[in-house]
């Protein structure tokens, strides 16, 4: 599996006046719903869960588990045990290799950054290969129990929000630091070639305050820029397009950038689909994309009788905003 992150951009050589830009339609804003709670659950006390749930892995008393940190990964693999509520990642027992599950670290990073659940700005992001154990949570249908299973695991935390409760209370504040638990979101890519992944959000304090919630486990979805075909002429500043995608795909966003004065535009259609969508037949989806406001604003140039519509790059789209993904080889 070879993937690369490509972000559509307008033609830089077009310097004609009257440049217009229609930003991506509102991308879903992921609500933070959990944080970290280390203790017996994090250490994975042995128990047999319900059908479809992971089986707990008991750590050795001599081996301590810690919260995720940039120092937990190096050379493309986990180097220490990391625990987040009921999810635990241990260093792999096999010798180091540049590829696991048919993916290199760079390819796994592409899939991790394109997962819709990690959309937004985060202070920290790490990725490495490790052995995953999940206890105390029911897995999505079709997912095998995770009991020291080899997987690429990307973790983000420290999401930027406008909520005052998003930051750990300062020393001396009336709010106890002990009552605040950081939220960690882990993308576990366990399928060969990346075909199979879940998102685990650990238990903790919601970003805008309130009682602790979680943990949650959901099937991971990847954001892809899709090739499209125009199906209707330009009308009232919009066109309608169609694209082929699995029936389980959903529209994520659309965008248009270009020059109204010369009638040149680059259109993009982004959709999300499960990492493992083999059971979803391919179908035709349609959507409308606005090129410019209608009616045309006063003083704007007349709309040309012919418009030229181009496609932006297709493939995985990075929605994770982080300065650096730690853990690469």
């Amino acid at each position: 599996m070879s993937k690369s992150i490509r972000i559509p951009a307008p033609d830089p050589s077009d310097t004609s006046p009257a440049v217009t830009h229609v930003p991506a339609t509102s991308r879903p804003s992921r609500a933070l719903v959990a944080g970290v709670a280390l203790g017996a659950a994090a250490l994975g006390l042995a128990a047999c869960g319900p059908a479809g749930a992971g089986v707990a892995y008991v750590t050795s008393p001599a081996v301590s588990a810690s919260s995720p940190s940039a120092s937990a990964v190096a050379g493309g693999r986990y180097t220490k045990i990391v625990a987040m509520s009921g999810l635990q990642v241990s260093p792999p027992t096999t010798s180091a290799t540049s590829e696991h599950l048919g993916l290199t670290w760079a390819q796994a990073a592409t899939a991790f950054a394109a997962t819709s659940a990690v959309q937004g700005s985060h202070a920290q992001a790490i990725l490495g290969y490790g052995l995953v154990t999940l206890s105390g949570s029911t897995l999505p249908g079709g997912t095998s129990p995770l009991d020291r299973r080899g997987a690429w695991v990307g973790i983000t935390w420290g999401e930027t929000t406008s909520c005052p409760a998003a930051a750990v209370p300062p020393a001396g504040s009336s709010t106890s630091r002990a009552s605040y638990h950081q939220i960690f979101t882990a993308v576990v890519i366990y399928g060969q070639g990346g075909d199979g992944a879940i998102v685990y959000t650990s238990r903790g304090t919601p970003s805008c305050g309130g009682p602790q919630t979680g943990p949650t486990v959901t099937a991971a979805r990847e954001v892809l820029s899709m090739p499209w075909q125009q199906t209707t002429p330009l009308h009232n500043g919009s066109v309608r397009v169609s694209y082929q995608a699995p029936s389980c795909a959903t529209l994520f966003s659309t965008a248009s950038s270009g020059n109204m004065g010369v009638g040149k535009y680059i259109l993009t259609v982004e959709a999300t689909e499960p990492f493992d969508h083999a059971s979803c037949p391919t179908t035709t989806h349609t959507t409308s994309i606005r090129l410019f406001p209608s009616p045309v604003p006063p003083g704007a140039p007349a709309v040309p009788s012919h418009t030229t519509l181009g496609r932006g790059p297709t493939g995985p789209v990075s929605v994770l905003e982080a300065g650096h993904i730690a853990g690469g080889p």
Side-chain angles (χ1 to χ4, degrees), residues 262-280:
V262 297
K264 290 184 178 181
Y265 294 91
I266 298 294
L267 310 184
T268 58
V269 176
E270 297 173 359
T272 69
E273 59 186 51
F275 276 64
D276 183 6
H277 57 263
S279 61
C280 301

Side-chain angles (χ1 to χ4, degrees), residues 10-328:
D11 183 359
S13 64
D14 187 353
T15 58
S16 304
V19 173
T20 62
H21 175 69
V22 179
T25 55
S26 62
R27 290 176 167 174
S29 178
R30 182 176 60 86
L32 295 176
V33 294
V36 64
L38 301 179
L43 294 177
L45 299 182
C48 294
V55 179
Y57 164 57
V58 182
T59 63
S60 165
V63 180
S64 62
S66 61
S67 299
S69 68
S71 64
V73 288
R77 65 201 300 269
Y78 278 81
T79 57
K80 64 176 65 175
I81 295 177
V82 167
M84 298 156 285
S85 303
L87 182 71
Q88 182 171 282
V89 187
S90 303
T93 56
T94 57
S95 59
T97 177
S98 60
E99 184 174 303
H100 297 280
L101 299 173
L103 297 176
T104 63
W105 186 91
Q107 291 169 331
T110 296
F112 170 43
T115 304
S116 59
V118 301
Q119 178 197 351
S121 177
H122 295 78
Q124 298 287 338
I126 62 175
L127 171 70
Y129 184 80
L131 302 180
V132 176
T133 296
L134 177 63
S135 60
S137 297
T138 301
L139 292 168
T143 306
S144 300
L146 299 178
D147 181 16
R148 290 182 60 81
R149 183 168 181 171
W152 288 103
V153 184
I155 306 173
T156 62
W157 66 96
E159 183 173 37
T160 301
T161 75
S162 59
C163 302
V168 176
S173 69
S174 59
T175 303
S176 170
R177 282 177 175 266
S179 68
Y180 182 89
H181 294 271
Q182 176 66 62
I183 296 165
F184 298 95
T185 299
V187 179
V188 180
I189 304 172
Y190 59 83
Q192 186 67 28
D195 291 336
I198 61 168
V199 173
Y200 180 89
T201 307
S202 64
R203 180 170 177 78
T205 308
S207 59
C208 292
Q212 291 186 29
T213 59
T216 61
V217 183
T218 58
R221 297 181 70 89
E222 188 174 25
V223 182
L224 300 171
S225 178
M226 314 297 293
W228 52 264
Q229 299 289 333
Q230 183 179 352
T231 60
T232 64
L234 176 65
H235 179 68
N236 290 335
S238 298
V239 296
R240 196 159 186 81
V241 301
S242 65
Y243 58 97
Q244 298 293 309
S247 58
C248 49
T250 58
L251 183 67
F252 189 72
S253 70
T254 61
S256 168
S257 60
N259 192 303
M260 188 169 66
V262 297
K264 290 184 178 181
Y265 294 91
I266 298 294
L267 310 184
T268 58
V269 176
E270 297 173 359
T272 69
E273 59 186 51
F275 276 64
D276 183 6
H277 57 263
S279 61
C280 301
T282 299
T283 61
T284 300
H285 302 251
T286 60
T287 187
S288 293
I289 304 178
R290 178 161 292 282
L291 276 60
F292 51 82
S294 181
V296 175
V303 179
S305 57
H306 298 285
T307 56
T308 302
L309 305 182
R311 298 186 184 89
T314 59
V317 177
S318 177
V319 294
L320 169 64
E321 299 173 25
H324 173 66
I325 299 178

